Amino acid sequence: MKRFYKAVGVAQVEGGWQVQLDERGVKSQGGKLQAVPSRALAETLAAEWERQGDEIDPATFVLRDMADFAIDVIGTDRAAAITALLRFVEGDTLCYRADAGEPLHERQIAVWEPLLQAAEARWDVHFERVEGIMARPQPAATLARLRAVLEAEDDFALSALNTLASLAASLTVGLAALQPDADPEALWAAANLEEDWQTELWGKDWEAGEKRAQRLGVFAAAVEFARLARG
């Protein structure tokens, strides 16, 4: 699609702030008013539009897609969105370990245990640790408590979390990334510990490295999205 606008700006509207193209408000991909909760986030969304060249590249609208997901999907059915997020607990990467005694298991303990224990202390829950690949359900009390944690977040934080948990295959990592003192690169490294382990054993793959860098960029953008939405 060719660029169809010249001027990009932001304006305060009912429900928050909106990007405007040639003074016309942007709508979500679902056709709704794309109002976001802070001017800072609106200005960052506007920058995505401003960076477009003569041809618009939809793949570069990472933050717009998160805003639209908050409005079109989560805003339509929060309960379903939260239930979908809770599925990342059952197969949480941080809970599944190699067999005890293996070098990989030792590294998983060193990197993952501090994150799990911090989450357990923060939310007063318990996570089952599993050796091997056979799934084991998490305690019902843990799922109930985490549902309450998710219900306390706004739609935009949940949208960011959807991206974070999907990329990390871990709700624990995603929630940690929403904390004010989060280190996105350290959390990304933790989520990709097994991939890094394989790289150490078999060597680097250039194409895989490029894809990982792209995913890290989206992960970091989701952290920034949540921060900006909170103002």
Side-chain angles (χ1 to χ4, degrees):
M1 178 190 295
K2 290 192 176 295
R3 178 165 173 160
F4 56 88
Y5 56 91
K6 293 182 179 179
V8 181
V10 301
Q12 192 166 18
V13 296
E14 183 178 357
W17 293 83
Q18 184 185 38
V19 176
Q20 295 198 332
L21 307 177
D22 294 336
E23 299 186 349
R24 293 184 177 182
V26 169
K27 292 185 178 181
S28 71
Q29 295 172 72
K32 298 180 179 179
L33 173 74
Q34 193 199 62
V36 299
S38 74
R39 178 166 188 159
L41 179 55
E43 289 175 342
T44 307
L45 291 169
E48 288 186 328
W49 289 97
E50 191 67 73
R51 285 194 296 267
Q52 299 301 310
D54 292 336
E55 294 286 335
I56 293 176
D57 182 2
T60 61
F61 287 98
V62 175
L63 299 182
R64 182 201 65 176
D65 289 346
M66 292 183 210
D68 288 354
F69 191 85
I71 294 165
D72 294 336
V73 178
I74 298 174
T76 299
D77 193 341
R78 273 179 60 90
I82 288 171
T83 296
L85 282 168
L86 284 172
R87 297 192 184 106
F88 288 105
V89 181
E90 296 293 0
D92 198 301
T93 294
L94 272 58
C95 294
Y96 285 82
R97 317 286 172 79
D99 292 334
E102 293 184 5
L104 176 56
H105 182 270
E106 298 304 315
R107 184 173 298 185
Q108 290 167 334
I109 293 295
V111 176
W112 289 351
E113 267 305 298
L115 290 172
L116 273 184
Q117 290 178 11
E120 288 175 327
R122 183 177 296 121
W123 297 302
D124 190 24
V125 296
H126 169 72
F127 292 103
E128 290 288 338
R129 280 75 161 167
V130 183
E131 291 182 12
I133 61 174
M134 295 300 293
R136 183 185 305 170
Q138 293 296 334
T142 294
L143 296 176
R145 173 67 181 121
L146 290 176
R147 181 179 289 277
V149 169
L150 297 178
E151 287 173 347
E153 298 287 355
D154 65 33
D155 293 353
F156 288 83
L158 291 178
S159 180
L161 187 56
N162 178 72
T163 297
L164 294 165
S166 297
L167 288 169
S170 169
L171 186 65
T172 307
V173 169
L175 285 169
L178 294 183
Q179 299 304 307
D181 59 349
D183 182 339
E185 290 197 13
L187 289 169
W188 182 248
N192 287 271
L193 182 150
E194 291 176 332
E195 180 180 315
D196 289 344
W197 179 263
Q198 292 298 322
T199 298
E200 290 178 20
L201 291 178
W202 306 109
K204 293 184 178 180
D205 179 281
W206 181 85
E207 185 176 352
E210 285 289 304
K211 289 180 179 178
R212 172 171 170 159
Q214 291 172 1
R215 294 195 303 272
L216 170 58
V218 177
F219 187 89
V223 174
E224 182 70 357
F225 178 88
R227 185 186 70 79
L228 291 170
R230 288 171 172 164

